[in-house]
């Protein structure tokens, strides 16, 4: 890369960061910092829609979508896009929780329905998810400024983190919602330019792109089935998404989640065509299909792609900081029955700074960004019955008999401890599919066991009725 284009890369990153720091509104109180409330008014539906949409268009996600398109053709891209159907699922379930249980948040709901230990276990699980969101997005941005581990890679990732941290400290959730609107507009424009500039510049026609790949388990359908199973549990361990389900009126929230989910699915599927292009053309992607395809078309296209990634990563990172501060400074202290204090806001800011530092350690170590999705999604499969079937629960025992088996399956898969007989198919994700299919079944059985046990005990305790014959 020439010095001129390298300066253009850094120029955009710096201008982007400075502008958002300048434009982000300052939160004036704890309600604005944690809930995005402005002058007592809740978030509008259009702003919530844009926020949910762009907050889930992670830089790592569009990179993963393109990489899977490069590995499996259109099947891979659609498999990854399927996770975005989690958003409408979350909207429907959150609406149900708000109406039936008067829930004000997922942690508060768990505390009410399943007890303090359940709420604490859930809070720790979402902290792992939020931690993963930091390094997995900063690593993608750094990849456009140099090879992993290089000075340019590390410097860009840390500079990007620094800019995002500053405006997150300034505005909290209120700032995150405001910048999400800007980042959504920037993302849509840049995505349109990328699609217009990249795809027509090759010899591949539209028909070959749409027919690329094989619809077999080994051809990526195994990952598609994993995504279809995880949409019922995956969204609930991401407070970046679920926190937004309690910021405005119920109907507006549901509409926003449905629109954002459909738009996200289409955006991810569309961007995966960049990777499908590499699949058809036989382009070597070296772990980053968007950068590989763009680099073949010149530094200008590569600059455009990096701008797209920065906009996507920024929206996720500021939302992650906002959710981390709310979880550690407000929700977890509430579990210890500590009343809200004037220090909450300051404590939330301290949380952001600490995680901005610690969250980049895996990025420096070069961890695979796809693991941030598949591993955590498998570990929380037990959340599906916990939230969706809450009305049939039998208290804390239902939660724990569903949640912990899911964690066990996820950890066993992560450390390669699952037996081969659990695999479904013979593709790359055969064992992952087996872990999710068998694991979800075990979690659901565990969830209902206390209820079945109670029904059995009640039946046995009933007095026997003797029918006397004449």
């Amino acid at each position: 890369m020439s010095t001129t284009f390298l300066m253009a890369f850094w120029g955009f990153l710096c201008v982007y960061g400075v502008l958002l720091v300048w434009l982000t509104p300052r939160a004036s109180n704890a309600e604005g910092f944690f809930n995005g409330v402005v002058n007592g008014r809740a978030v509008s539906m259009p702003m919530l829609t844009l926020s949910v949409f762009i907050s889930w268009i992670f830089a790592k996600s569009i990179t993963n979508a393109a990489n899977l398109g490069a590995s499996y053709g259109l099947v891979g891209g659609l498999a990854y896009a399927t996770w975005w159907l989690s958003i409408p699922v979350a909207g429907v379930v959150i609406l149900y929780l708000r109406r039936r249980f008067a829930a004000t948040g997922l942690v508060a709901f768990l505390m009410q329905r399943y007890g303090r230990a359940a709420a604490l276990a859930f809070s720790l699980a979402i902290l792992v998810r939020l931690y993963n969101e930091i390094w997995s997005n900063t690593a993608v941005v750094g990849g456009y400024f140099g090879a992993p581990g290089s000075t340019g890679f590390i410097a860009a990732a840390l500079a990007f983190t620094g800019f995002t941290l500053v405006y997150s400290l300034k505005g909290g959730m209120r700032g995150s919602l405001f910048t999400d609107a800007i980042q959504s507009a920037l993302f849509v424009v840049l995505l349109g330019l990328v699609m217009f500039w990249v795809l027509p510049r090759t010899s591949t026609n539209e028909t070959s792109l749409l027919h690329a790949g094989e619809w077999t388990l080994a051809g990526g359908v195994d990952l598609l089935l994993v995504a279809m199973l995880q949409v019922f549990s995956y969204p609930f361990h991401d407070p970046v998404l679920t926190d937004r389900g309690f910021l405005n009126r119920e109907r507006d929230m549901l509409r926003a989640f449905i629109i954002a989910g459909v738009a996200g699915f289409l955006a991810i599927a569309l961007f995966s065509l960049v990777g499908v292009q590499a699949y058809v053309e036989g382009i070597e992607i070296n772990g980053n299909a968007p950068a590989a395809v763009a680099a073949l078309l010149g530094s200008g296209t590569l600059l455009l792609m990096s701008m797209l990634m920065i906009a996507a990563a920024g929206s996720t990172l500021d939302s992650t900081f906002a959710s981390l501060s709310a979880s550690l400074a407000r929700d977890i202290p509430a579990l210890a029955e500590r009343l809200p204090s004037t220090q909450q806001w300051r404590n939330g800011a301290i949380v952001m700074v600490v995680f901005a530092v610690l969250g980049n350690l895996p990025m420096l170590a070069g961890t695979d960004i796809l693991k941030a999705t598949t591993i955590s999604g498998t570990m929380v499969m037990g959340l599906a019955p916990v939230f969706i079937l809450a009305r049939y629960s039998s208290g804390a025992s239902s939660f724990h008999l569903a949640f912990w088996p899911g964690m066990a399956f996820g950890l066993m898969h992560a450390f390669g401890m699952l037996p081969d007989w659990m695999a479904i198919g013979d593709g790359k994700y055969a064992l992952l599919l087996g872990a999710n299919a068998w694991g979800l079944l075990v979690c659901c059985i565990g969830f209902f066991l206390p209820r079945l046990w109670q029904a059995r005990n009640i039946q046995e305790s009933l007095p026997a009725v003797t029918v006397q014959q004449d």
Side-chain angles (χ1 to χ4, degrees):
M1 187 185 300
S2 68
T3 303
T4 302
F5 277 103
L6 189 58
M7 291 176 62
F9 274 54
W10 277 101
F12 174 78
L13 178 59
C14 292
V15 169
Y16 164 88
V18 171
L19 278 177
L20 287 189
V21 170
W22 177 49
L23 293 173
T24 299
R26 186 180 300 277
S28 57
N29 52 44
E31 271 293 287
F33 191 81
F34 290 119
N35 297 324
V37 175
V38 180
N39 298 325
R41 297 193 308 271
V43 183
S44 67
M45 196 202 87
M47 179 170 281
L48 182 64
T49 303
L50 292 174
S51 182
V52 172
F53 166 74
I54 195 62
S55 295
W56 254 45
I57 303 291
F58 320 131
K60 73 177 179 66
S61 296
I62 51 182
T63 299
N64 284 338
N67 286 349
L68 289 167
S71 298
Y72 299 103
L74 186 63
V75 182
L78 292 177
Y80 203 73
T82 299
W83 265 286
W84 268 253
L85 299 180
S86 297
I87 299 177
V89 170
V92 172
V93 175
I94 289 174
L95 178 68
Y96 162 70
L97 297 179
R98 289 177 64 174
R99 287 185 172 176
R100 184 175 181 86
F101 301 99
T104 58
L106 295 190
V107 174
F109 162 76
L110 290 170
M111 180 74 173
Q112 167 201 342
R113 189 71 179 173
Y114 299 104
R116 184 176 289 106
L120 181 60
F122 173 77
S123 297
L124 295 177
I126 64 176
L127 286 179
V128 174
R129 160 74 181 194
L130 291 171
Y131 182 80
N132 283 340
E133 288 310 314
I134 298 174
W135 62 263
S136 59
N137 280 280
T138 60
V140 172
V141 172
Y144 286 84
F145 292 80
S150 67
T151 301
F153 173 91
I154 295 173
L158 295 181
F160 167 71
T161 303
F163 283 127
T164 309
L165 174 64
V166 171
Y167 75 76
S168 297
L169 289 170
K170 182 181 178 183
M173 178 61 81
R174 180 189 176 191
S176 177
L177 292 166
F178 176 83
T179 55
D180 282 347
I182 298 175
Q183 290 155 338
S184 294
L186 182 61
F187 175 83
V188 171
V189 171
L190 291 173
L191 179 62
L193 290 174
V194 167
M195 294 296 100
F196 176 79
W197 188 256
V198 173
L199 297 184
R201 287 287 299 272
T202 67
S203 60
T204 306
N205 58 49
E206 180 181 349
T207 302
S208 60
L209 287 178
L210 297 180
H211 289 85
E214 299 178 0
W215 286 88
T216 62
L217 286 175
V221 173
D222 49 3
L223 187 63
L224 174 62
L225 294 176
V226 169
M228 292 174 67
L229 290 172
Q230 288 193 1
V231 296
F232 299 104
S233 57
Y234 187 85
F236 303 115
H237 85 306
D238 183 11
V240 167
L241 175 66
T242 57
D243 283 354
R244 285 158 168 75
F246 299 90
L247 298 182
N248 66 354
R249 294 183 304 175
E250 295 171 353
R251 287 187 177 181
D252 288 345
M253 178 278 297
L254 182 60
R255 291 193 190 102
F257 273 55
I258 291 174
I259 295 171
V262 173
F265 175 89
L266 294 175
I268 293 297
L270 184 61
F271 192 85
S272 73
L273 293 179
V274 173
V276 179
Q277 183 68 62
Y279 175 89
V280 173
E281 295 286 331
I283 299 172
E284 183 66 36
I285 65 170
N286 296 318
N288 193 335
V293 173
L296 290 179
L297 301 176
S299 297
T301 308
L302 188 59
L303 174 61
L304 189 64
M305 194 73 77
S306 71
M307 293 165 65
L308 179 72
M309 293 297 178
I310 289 172
S315 67
T316 302
L317 191 57
D318 63 46
S319 298
T320 298
F321 285 145
S323 293
L324 276 167
S325 66
S327 178
L328 288 172
R330 183 190 62 185
D331 296 343
I332 291 181
L335 295 179
E337 297 183 345
R338 293 177 56 184
L339 296 175
S341 70
T342 56
Q343 303 297 320
Q344 272 191 345
W345 193 353
R346 187 194 69 176
N347 294 341
I350 293 173
V351 167
M352 289 184 180
V353 174
V354 170
F355 274 84
V357 176
L358 297 180
N360 275 301
L361 296 181
M363 177 273 296
L364 298 175
T367 306
D368 181 4
I369 61 173
L370 183 59
K371 292 180 180 179
T373 297
T374 56
I375 291 178
S376 64
T378 301
M379 290 170 64
V380 297
M381 68 178 80
L383 294 179
V386 164
F387 289 111
I388 297 175
L389 303 174
R391 63 179 296 185
Y392 302 107
S393 70
S394 296
S397 55
S398 288
F399 174 89
H400 293 292
L401 289 175
F403 180 77
W404 294 111
M407 293 292 289
F409 272 92
L411 290 172
M412 289 173 66
H413 178 264
F415 291 103
M417 298 170 61
L418 290 177
D420 291 338
W421 63 262
M422 292 188 66
I424 299 177
D426 55 0
K428 179 179 179 180
Y429 301 102
L431 201 54
L432 179 64
L433 175 57
N436 279 269
W438 295 113
L440 184 58
L441 178 62
V442 170
C443 291
C444 289
I445 292 174
F447 180 82
F448 283 112
L449 271 179
R451 190 178 183 89
L452 295 174
W453 181 260
Q454 290 174 1
R456 179 176 177 273
N457 288 341
I458 291 174
Q459 184 66 32
E460 290 180 349
S461 64
L462 291 176
V465 178
T466 303
V467 178
Q468 188 173 10
Q469 296 181 350
D470 293 333

